[in-house]
Amino acid sequence: MAPQISSLATLLLLGSYLAPASASKLPAQAQFIDQKAFNVLNTTQPPTEFNAKTPFVPPGSTGDSLANQPFHVYDKEFLKIIGDHPTLTRIGHTSKDPIFHEAVVWSKGTDEVFFVQNAGAKNASTGLHKSAIVEKISLAQAAAVSDKRDAVGLVNITTVPASPIILNPNGATNYRGQIIFTGEGQGDNKAPALQVMNPKSPYNTTVILNNFFGRQFNSLNDVAIHPKSKDIYFTDTIYGYVQDFRPAPGIQDQVYRFNPDTGAVTVVADEFDHPNGLTFSPDGDYVYVTDTGIDNGFKGFDWTRPAAVYRYDVKEDGTFENRKIFAFSNSGAPDGIHTDSWGNVYAGCADGVHVWNPSGKLIGKIHLGTGTANFNFAGKGRMVICAETELFYATLAAAGNYVDSEM
Ligand SMILES: *[C@@H]1O[C@H](CO)[C@@H](O)[C@H](O)[C@H]1NC(C)=O
Ligand SMILES: *[C@@H]1O[C@H](CO)[C@@H](O)[C@H](O)[C@H]1NC(C)=O
Ligand SMILES: *[C@@H]1O[C@H](CO)[C@@H](O)[C@H](O)[C@H]1NC(C)=O
Ligand SMILES: *[C@@H]1O[C@H](CO)[C@@H](O)[C@H](O)[C@H]1NC(C)=O
């Protein structure tokens, strides 16, 4: 059937808005990705050859063109997020050691960002003696080089002598003026734990939870504070086992809530393959939990499992209800997750940071050409992105959703 005149006119108008006109208005480091351009591909490959781990290069693009303008606009809503002059700068690089992994957290008082090394598999070259490394950078140093695309060597990466050490830290957030980490534990007898660290010298730490009524957790993954109740929520999942440093799991993977004042630990959600990152909407009405079910460590990948973000309503009493699929990533699985002050949702995926609006529409990506397990805002307009052997600093217009629980 022939299109009606009015819809044809709309299409033409839309085309001229999205293509040449907006291209000239886009910031220097941004490009528009036209999803219609790949609705029909001339050739497609079977899942053994093309799957969630294969970088997708849209027709007309190349790996270089995707990287040269790393702010990918999938919907014009993303323009407000990136502002007029977004920048992406590589500020750290190692040849092999995955020292830029997760637990990315802004220490407001010192204006530093902390992050941790990947515990990794036995093979990952980290070695268990190195798997408790916490590091930090100064944001003033990062900001001073944001006009460069590559500033490796110009920003100091400092190892933090946390004491006692945090065994295989993986997640972190601000907590009562300090930083709370999820430690994945190690071996049979060093249990996963929630451990709080002083963000200033001497970086003393205190374990505040290491069991569920005597039972070990599997390997604690991520932690978030509810913006209103200030309760601690955290995920537990099997990565310590499938990365070979924890015994076979003794409890199902699930999401917990901890009230540190009463000591009460409760389960708030299950029904996941591997619950991973979690975060709240700015008003605390929603919680977002990533499920990295496709990735089973040494057991390999199962492309039919979740690579998704689930959303729940958070009830007045702090329990979760109305589980709903929020987003499914085309690239790897969404891991670390954060919201901005407008309620948009960002998650680290295999090609960079994906950004969805509050309805779960993909509106943009910060393309790295490599995977990011976690990243975080550092207040307004600043973001630090970990990518295992690479560390990035980004500037954009959006503000983070800073929650502390000073009391
Ligand atoms: C598909 O093939 C046609 C004919 O060779 C070519 O003109 C077109 O650009 C191709 N499209 C894509 C998306 O590769
Ligand atoms: C472990 O490392 C060795 C040597 O680099 C490599 O040959 C092997 O494939 C690796 N195994 C895994 C499971 O990654
Ligand atoms: C990095 O640390 C070294 C040694 O403390 C210091 O000399 C240098 O000025 C620092 N770099 C920056 C950019 O501050
Ligand atoms: C670190 O030590 C100070 C001084 O004793 C104490 O007030 C603070 O609570 C400690 N922090 C942690 C996380 O252990």
Short mmCIF file of all heavy atoms in Angstrom, two decimals, residues 141 154-156, ligand 3:
data_model
loop_
_atom_site.label_atom_id
_atom_site.label_comp_id
_atom_site.label_asym_id
_atom_site.label_seq_id
_atom_site.Cartn_x
_atom_site.Cartn_y
_atom_site.Cartn_z
N GLN A 141 43.18 16.56 38.53
CA GLN A 141 44.16 16.13 37.52
C GLN A 141 43.47 15.67 36.24
O GLN A 141 43.92 15.95 35.13
CB GLN A 141 45.03 14.99 38.07
CG GLN A 141 46.06 15.47 39.08
CD GLN A 141 46.97 14.32 39.55
OE1 GLN A 141 47.03 13.26 38.94
NE2 GLN A 141 47.66 14.55 40.65
N LEU A 154 49.48 11.34 32.45
CA LEU A 154 49.35 12.70 33.00
C LEU A 154 48.47 12.75 34.25
O LEU A 154 48.37 13.79 34.89
CB LEU A 154 48.77 13.64 31.93
CG LEU A 154 49.61 13.77 30.65
CD1 LEU A 154 48.93 14.69 29.65
CD2 LEU A 154 51.00 14.29 30.98
N VAL A 155 47.83 11.64 34.55
CA VAL A 155 46.98 11.57 35.75
C VAL A 155 47.55 10.46 36.64
O VAL A 155 47.71 9.32 36.19
CB VAL A 155 45.51 11.26 35.37
CG1 VAL A 155 44.67 11.05 36.61
CG2 VAL A 155 44.94 12.38 34.50
N ASN A 156 47.87 10.81 37.87
CA ASN A 156 48.44 9.81 38.77
C ASN A 156 47.39 8.81 39.22
O ASN A 156 46.29 9.20 39.62
CB ASN A 156 49.03 10.48 40.01
CG ASN A 156 50.36 11.15 39.70
OD1 ASN A 156 51.04 10.78 38.74
ND2 ASN A 156 50.72 12.14 40.50
C1 LIG B 3 51.99 12.74 40.30
O1 LIG B 3 52.73 12.37 41.43
C2 LIG B 3 54.08 12.78 41.37
C3 LIG B 3 54.81 12.16 42.56
O2 LIG B 3 54.13 12.45 43.75
C4 LIG B 3 54.14 14.29 41.34
O3 LIG B 3 55.47 14.72 41.25
C5 LIG B 3 53.36 14.79 40.15
O4 LIG B 3 53.28 16.20 40.17
C6 LIG B 3 51.94 14.24 40.14
N1 LIG B 3 51.29 14.57 38.91
C7 LIG B 3 50.31 15.48 38.82
C8 LIG B 3 49.70 15.66 37.49
O5 LIG B 3 49.93 16.10 39.80
#
